[in-house]
Every structure is written in C-alpha cells, then in structure tokens.
Amino acid sequence: MRLAPSPTGTLHIGTARTAVFNWLFARRQGGEFLLRIEDTDRERSRPEYTANILEGLQWLGLHWDGEPVVQSARIGEHRAAIQQLLDSGQAYRCFATEAELTAMRDQQAASKQAPRYDNRHRQLTAEQQQTFIAEGREATVRFKIDDDATITWSDLVRGDMRWSGSDLGGDMVIARRAPADQIGDPLYNLVVVVDDIAMAISHVIRGEDHIANTAKQLLLYAALGTEPPIFAHTPLILNQEGKKLSKRDGVTSVSDFQAMGYTPEALANYMTLLGWSPPEGMGERFTLAEAATVFDFERVNRAGARFDWDKLNWLNGQVLHELGPDALRQQLLPLWAAQGWGTAPGPAQADPTWQADLCSLIGPSLSLLADGVEQARPFFTTPELQESASSQLASEGARPALAALLERLPEGPLSADQAQTLLTEAATAAGVKKGVIMKSLRAALLGSLQGPDLLATWLLLHRSGDDRARIARCL
Ligand code: GLU
C-alpha cells in the first residue's frame, strides 16, 4: 500500500482520507504503508507543502513505514523505462507542435468529436523524422494505445471494470517536449507505474478521479512486462450540496481542521466513516487501531460520501469527553494561557485541581476544544450581566434572596451540603421559592441564565474567591 501525494498544496482532506484507507488496509493485512512524494511538477511543488503533508499524516497517527520515496530523485529510472518502451516500439517520438495540436482539437470541436490525439506521428519514416529535426522541432514521447484494446480489472470497491482503448484519447504523452535526441520530463502515468513497480506495491488505493488513469496505467504495466497491482477506487468526498468538495468549500486542509480545534482522533475517526460503514455493533466512535481490525473494502460504498459537520462535531465531543478532566486540562492549558488565564501562581485559578474540576464541569458540553475557552471564560473573568440575567435579578424577591445568601456565605471552604443548606435557608429568610434563589444566583455568578450545573459552578467560584463580589454587585 502507498500514499502518493503531490506537494502542490497542503494535505487535503481527500488525500488524508485516502491515507486512512491505505493505512487501515495495510494494518489489517499485515502489509506496509509506504509514502511517495510526487514532486515532479517542479513549478507547483514546494518543500513547505511536503512538510505540511508529513506533519498532517503524523498528527493524524498515520505513520508510514520506511523513508518516504521522493519521486523526482528517480528521474533516471523513469527515463530508462521510457527508453525501454521506445526501444521495443511501444512508444515513439511525436513532433506535432502545440499549434498543430490546437488546430486538431479545434477541428474536432467543430465537428462535435471528443478531443483526442489522432496518432498522426505513429508511423513516421526515418526521413520524415529527419525533416522535423532539421526544422528544429522538438518531440514528445507518446505511448501507443490501440483503439481496439480492452482493459479490464476487478476493482475492490467498484467491482468489474471495463475500458476501451478508444476512450483514452489516443496515444498518450509520457515525456514532455525535448530535443529529439533526449527524453523530456517524464509524465504522471508513466512515473506512477515505474515507481509502483519499483516499490513492489501490491494494492493501489486512491480516489475514483484516477479511474481513467488506471486504465492507461494498466496498459503501461503490460508494456513493461509486469503484473499490475490490485486497485481500489474510493468514492469522492462531497460537500453539503452533493458536489465534489473543493477549495471553494473553505475548510479542506487537515491543518485547517487542526486550527479549528478538532482532535486528530475525531478527524481520523470521521474520515474512516467517509465512505466506509463499520460492521453492525461497532458504533461510529472508534480508534484507527480498532477500525484496522475489521476494515475491508466490501464495506466501502461506491457512492460519494457527503461531508457531515454535525457528525464530525459529535465525534470530536466524544473524544473530548473520553479524555477525562486531567487530559482535557492539558489540552486546554495552552488555549487558556493565550487568553492570559490560569498561569499566575497563587490564585486558585492556577491550581491544577481547581482547573481539573473546571474541566469535569464543562467537559461534557464541549464539542470543539475552542468551546473550552468560551465555557471557561466566566470562571476566569467576571462576565457582564446579560439582559436575561438583569431581568431575573429585577424580579420579585431575587435581590432579597441574594442578600440573605451573602449574609450567610462563609469566608472559608464551602461543601456541597452546606451550599444546599444555605440556599434553603436564604430562600426561607427572603420568603421565596428555592427556584428563585437558584436562578438569581446563576444570573449573578455567570451573568446569564445558561451554564453548567449551578452547585458545582458556585463551589468552583467560591474556591477561587469570586462568588462574593459577583453576588454583591447585583444587590
Ligand atoms: N499524486 C497523485 C495525486 O496527488 C496520486 C497518484 C496516485 O495515487 O496514484 O493525486
């Protein structure tokens, strides 16, 4: 198995999902998961994209075996394979100029034919070749594709596949234009085949946008006298409208998801579900290692997989809940520190136990890590009173009840039982129902009528010494 990303952009979610399927299948089969950086597009490939791809795969836990193969370093092997095809007469030099090819395609368009190369230089005599060379023309190398060839393979996802040579656009360019005594830059379909052979790849698992390439590549395997690998073409990832997920959809890079606060566990879990259905009873929350024990292509759908933010958010919440308070605290500390919270030694808010208790309180309602900043905010800074809170505090009996509570509030520690008793006593003293004092206390402490469990909230704010001033400001 291998992943063969082109470093012409950051690690795309589609490539990452392909990586997940390769990784799972390799682990399931006890095979190897290899990495090849396809950097032959010299203009668009950049080292920072390679770095981003490697980091993204590692972040997701998709560790590869061995050293990554760098495709551009293998140009000698690619040229040797092209030479072999030229020598065996399965490839030839084509001297057609860009202008001639454009004219050919314009003509095809005018007569409503599909664009294809008309194989015009397949049978050039040595003399004709000499004439072109004397004119100073350069040549591409084309691989012969017979119109009557039939290409079949059994795809692990799509079943029996059948292509006709006549649907492949005529003889295929495998090396860019160069002086006729040289071989120009080798092109994608050729180099992929040469490298997959050299790397002894048994299974090629990649997106279904490569299906037409597979047909061409199978002809190259045959021409090079090698058995082809097994192919699995995975369904595309679609956006909410059912169209192929593209840059226009905004978030498409693994690093974007990382920056948004998704955990690698949730994203890897979610990508596994993009096209694969877990067996009955497994549920949808699982680790990559768990999925690897059951992954197979029979459960990969042919239809495109629609991206579902709600499911990703739900999974991320699950992962955060599983972390437990201490691990969650570790993850939140840098985000809190960025707000200037919880770092100064001394105050209760910098106490790891207080912080872990805060995490126990807010943990269950987090779906993104960033929610842990918003929900922790009223514990680190005094919140403004929202309108709903102000009107609660203006309601009958609210202020007398809070005043009665404040009178009884101890300076020292407060237990949950004591806190309950205080609420009952203050409500009785002010002649209000317990619900009134509870709602008013929430309004005073959090500035809002929403929030986590009231008693636990109050006890935390008591420990940090913040409850008194927040109640007092409302009187
Ligand atoms: N480099 C190709 C791409 O990024 C993948 C080639 C392959 O998997 O065969 O789309």
Side-chain angles (χ1 to χ4, degrees), residues 11-81:
L11 178 58
H12 186 271
I13 184 88
T15 310
R17 198 274 315 261
T18 300
V20 169
F21 283 12
N22 272 284
W23 188 93
L24 290 172
F25 193 64
R27 291 294 169 266
R28 176 82 202 270
Q29 301 277 314
E32 283 186 316
F33 171 53
L34 306 178
L35 192 57
R36 181 170 72 235
I37 302 297
E38 303 212 313
D39 59 342
T40 48
D41 183 343
R42 288 188 220 151
E43 268 159 39
R44 291 171 57 226
S45 296
R46 298 222 206 113
E48 57 267 34
Y49 291 141
T50 301
N52 175 281
I53 291 167
L54 300 187
E55 279 162 22
L57 293 171
Q58 264 157 348
W59 181 71
L60 288 165
L62 300 170
H63 305 295
W64 55 90
D65 296 303
E67 285 297 310
V69 171
V70 178
Q71 191 159 57
S72 58
R74 296 184 31 79
I75 192 161
E77 281 84 346
H78 304 146
R79 289 213 166 102

Side-chain angles (χ1 to χ4, degrees), residues 2 4-6 38 188 192 206 210:
R2 90 303 195 263
S6 305
E38 303 212 313
Y188 167 72
V192 165
R206 60 185 172 196
H210 281 289

